[in-house]
Amino acid sequence: MKSIIVAPDSFKESLTATQVADAIAEGILAVNQNIEVIKLPIADGGEGTLDALSGLIPCTKIPSLVTDALGLPMHNHFLLASNQRIAMIEVAQSCGLAQIAPNQRDPMQATSYGVGQQMELAIELGVDEIVLALGGSATNDCGAGLLQALGARYRDKNGQEILVSGGNLCQIKSIDISELNPRLAKTKITLLCDVTNPLFGKAGASHTFGSQKGASAQQIDILENNIQHFAVLLDAKFGKPLSNIEGAGAAGGIPAVLIAICNAQLTSGIDYILERSEFSTHLQNADLVITGEGKIDTQSVDGKALSGVAKQAMKAGVPVIALAGSVTCDVNSLNKIGITAAFSICNQPLTLEQAFKDTSENLKRTAENVTRLLLC
């Protein structure tokens, strides 16, 4: 074995994709220093996308002071490509679940306003394109807050302006975009997505993701009605039917306003990352790919990072080993997308806290064992 590509996603709440790749590489090289290890940390458009892109594209961090999903001030950043006029923004960092304690999550009050603040700053810097990574949102406001930060005005039946959130979209009777930043219309918007859920319906934003964002069953019904109400307003004003667009339900419906007003384009997050990492080129000389994520489950085989890696490797005839904290997906499902075998890195019963603490060492040990097995 001469060459191994190490292309993992992050292990959420434990290690970034870059740290995971470093740990796996250390385990491989502990067995044989002569193996070429190509580290390509990945993401699928959700949490960790900026980390992955920062290792693939020469770029600069642009600091920004924005509001989080619940309207509290927070220091943040986005990336500005050094040789291109492209800004890269991650929703998970601007209005993400990770910034809010589980007992404080409230999609009725949450807003995507902070994402719009970052977009406004990027536009003022004169970028030609904004790449928006959608996953990990704590919001369910259909992107109305984002658009408000860019200059949109919403008014109720009495003509009073509304500060929008997921819980009050039904109060909006008119949308005024006359004060939108004029540069927005000239800016290409690319949306990196890791799901295919529509905007509303049983598979839509509210019913699929509302509970993990803190919504009760009753609130999910309210959020669903609110999104449908807002979608009707968008369709009437901009002539863009949104009900059947795959992926429009990502990030609490953020794609909806950007598709309706900016002709934003949805694309697979993992495909975008793999293209920029020149993954297909590296596969030509690779003997093995090692990938991984915190938990391998049924979602892993449907548009997520692991499935994107495995499918490309399978086309190239390169075997794939996956490592994870836990593996709950049926092995046959993994084989079908190109994953040869999957291993849990935990070798004894552990609390979640201990598993997070020991992730790096467990990755090194498992990668070393896998490498010894393959070389024997």
Side-chain angles (χ1 to χ4, degrees), residues 285-334:
N285 298 311
D287 299 299
L288 175 70
V289 174
I290 297 181
T291 186
E293 64 179 358
K295 181 180 182 180
I296 296 177
D297 55 19
T298 54
Q299 292 187 27
S300 302
V301 302
D302 186 22
K304 296 291 186 176
L306 264 68
S307 65
V309 168
K311 287 175 181 178
Q312 284 203 25
M314 183 166 59
K315 288 180 182 178
V318 179
V320 177
I321 300 295
L323 308 181
S326 67
V327 181
T328 62
C329 187
D330 176 68
V331 66
N332 291 325
S333 299
L334 296 175

Side-chain angles (χ1 to χ4, degrees), residues 249-264:
I254 281 177
V257 294
L258 297 175
I259 291 170
I261 297 172
C262 309
N263 292 313

Side-chain angles (χ1 to χ4, degrees), residues 41 62 71 115 121 184 212 226 229 233 245 250 286:
I62 305 298
V115 181
L121 179 55
L184 180 63
Q212 73 185 46
N226 287 356
H229 171 82
L233 291 178
I245 298 176

Side-chain angles (χ1 to χ4, degrees), residues 69-312:
L70 298 181
L72 299 175
M74 63 179 293
H75 290 281
N76 207 333
H77 73 273
F78 60 91
L79 301 180
L80 188 64
S82 301
N83 299 323
Q84 300 167 297
R85 297 163 67 89
I86 300 175
M88 293 163 280
I89 297 171
E90 185 176 307
V91 166
Q93 290 193 8
S94 304
C95 63
L97 285 170
Q99 282 83 38
I100 303 174
N103 63 349
Q104 295 180 333
R105 293 171 183 172
D106 184 1
M108 298 290 285
Q109 301 298 322
T111 172
S112 57
Y113 194 91
V115 181
Q117 288 177 303
Q118 289 194 309
M119 291 179 66
E120 176 76 11
L121 179 55
I123 290 169
E124 289 301 317
L125 290 174
V127 300
D128 297 322
E129 180 181 2
I130 293 174
V131 176
L132 190 61
L134 293 172
S137 165
T139 63
N140 207 89
D141 70 348
C142 208
L146 176 157
L147 199 65
Q148 193 161 41
L150 290 167
R153 299 290 178 263
Y154 307 106
R155 292 181 172 82
D156 63 16
K157 62 181 181 181
N158 299 315
Q160 298 298 310
E161 190 168 339
I162 302 170
L163 186 63
V164 293
S165 65
N168 68 359
L169 296 180
C170 61
Q171 298 177 22
I172 300 173
K173 298 302 178 184
S174 67
I175 304 171
D176 178 3
I177 63 167
S178 62
E179 296 181 31
L180 279 186
N181 191 319
R183 296 181 184 177
L184 180 63
K186 301 177 182 179
T187 305
K188 179 181 178 182
I189 309 292
T190 300
L191 306 175
L192 305 187
C193 190
D194 62 349
V195 299
T196 57
N197 300 77
L199 184 57
F200 50 81
K202 290 301 180 183
S206 304
H207 284 290
T208 304
F209 306 111
S211 60
Q212 73 185 46
K213 299 179 183 185
S216 66
Q218 182 180 9
Q219 288 174 329
I220 287 173
D221 289 337
I222 295 171
L223 292 167
E224 173 73 1
N225 290 334
N226 287 356
I227 275 190
Q228 290 193 30
H229 171 82
F230 190 64
V232 169
L233 291 178
L234 289 174
D235 187 8
K237 188 171 182 67
F238 304 106
K240 293 281 183 68
L242 299 165
S243 60
N244 295 318
I245 298 176
E246 288 192 353
I254 281 177
V257 294
L258 297 175
I259 291 170
I261 297 172
C262 309
N263 292 313
Q265 299 297 309
L266 279 160
T267 189
S268 163
I270 183 57
D271 289 349
Y272 185 91
I273 296 290
L274 291 178
E275 181 180 347
R276 275 139 194 84
S277 71
E278 299 182 342
F279 186 68
S280 59
T281 300
H282 290 298
L283 279 173
Q284 294 174 11
N285 298 311
D287 299 299
L288 175 70
V289 174
I290 297 181
T291 186
E293 64 179 358
K295 181 180 182 180
I296 296 177
D297 55 19
T298 54
Q299 292 187 27
S300 302
V301 302
D302 186 22
K304 296 291 186 176
L306 264 68
S307 65
V309 168
K311 287 175 181 178
Q312 284 203 25

